Amino acid sequence: MRALVVDPSAPEAVRLTEIAEPVATGDEVLVEVRQAALNYGDLNDARSGRVPPGAVLGSDVAGVVLRSGPTGPPPGTRVVALAQGAFAEQVVVDLGALAEVPATVGLVQAAALPVAGVAALRSLRASGAVLGRRVLITGASGGVGRFAVRLASMAGAHVIASVGQVERGIGLEELGADKVVVGLNGIDAPVDVVLDSVGGPQLVAAWQLLAPDGSLQSIGWTSGEPAVFPPYSTIGPPKSLTSFVIQGSVAAELADLVHLVESGALPVEIGWHGPLQRFADGATALRDRRVNGKAILDVADQPSAS
Ligand SMILES: NC(=O)c1ccc[n+]([C@@H]2O[C@H](COP(=O)([O-])OP(=O)(O)OC[C@H]3O[C@@H](n4cnc5c(N)ncnc54)[C@H](OP(=O)(O)O)[C@@H]3O)[C@@H](O)[C@H]2O)c1
């Protein structure tokens, strides 16, 4: 089958090649991949060694079940999943990492949900009730950010969306942002919750904006810059900074996200869409901060109309 495998000597550290089809055992589910989302984390994984040379890259898939164990969804079921090795024509998925996709939800939209959607949903839930609270979302123009803006707004928060440039904020008010700011300029009162995916100096500045009893979830670090806390900036009334990573079963959250998309409550914004062989173009667009929302790769030769 065709797959994008990690190759540190290749320009984007990945190479399109032919490899053997994977084999599902026990309760695992074999999925024919139709679409896969390209995440910022995938770009890091290809270069950092987290996905080793020769292994298939990619985390987010939507497709159709080919084979499954006695308790899995039957062949033909449309599914979305968090899967290691998503950028291939077939992938093996754990039962705890997938959800069914109803016919009314497109597989292109579903593919966007696992990493970005689950990170947004889980980090928001970890922040406690946000009804009426001021929630600052950094990197709001990106995959995690756009889902987080919508979900926080749905939960009744006063949402402040931070972007790098004015034009990166397009569409965020329609998603539910009460205020769109460039950097952290123009935030005139403390915030109760921060969902941060930028890190570096912006994380430090966001920490300093946090009200007593406030909490900051550190989801990502796209800035790549160190965070230097001025002396005594961590001394004072209690507030918390919590590290975040997706782990354990994501089936319930994926099902919640699919349901929200199906009901029309959660729009899925696709900012770049192309075939697997144009991975490098998608990666460049993502790195250059030109993707508003998610980047999606068509993996099947004849992607489903949905
Ligand atoms: N911990 C976890 O489990 C988990 C899960 C999902 C994602 N993440 C991490 O969260 C971060 C965001 O992921 P994503 O999928 O939302 O990425 P994305 O779609 O590429 O969005 C990232 C956003 O970060 C902003 N940004 C600020 N400074 C940047 C810089 N120097 N370089 C690039 N972007 C910069 C960009 O917004 P502007 O252009 O408006 O500045 C961009 O929209 C990544 O670090 C990712 O690895 C972690």
Side-chain angles (χ1 to χ4, degrees), residues 38-44 114-120 138-146 162-165 167-169 196-199 202 218-225 243-247 285-295:
L38 176 55
N39 288 293
Y40 194 92
D42 297 324
L43 305 183
N44 288 345
V115 168
V118 170
T138 69
S141 52
V144 175
R146 283 181 181 260
S162 163
V163 296
Q165 295 176 44
E167 56 271 25
R168 295 285 279 150
D196 178 58
S197 58
V198 173
Q202 199 159 305
S218 176
I219 303 165
W221 209 284
T222 48
S223 70
E225 295 173 42
S243 50
F244 178 88
V245 73
I246 297 174
Q247 54 188 5
L286 204 60
R287 209 176 284 114
D288 290 351
R289 297 151 81 169
R290 285 188 278 114
V291 179
N292 282 4
K294 294 296 301 170

Side-chain angles (χ1 to χ4, degrees), residues 49 104 115 127 166 247 264 304:
T104 47
V115 168
S127 306
V166 174
Q247 54 188 5
S304 62

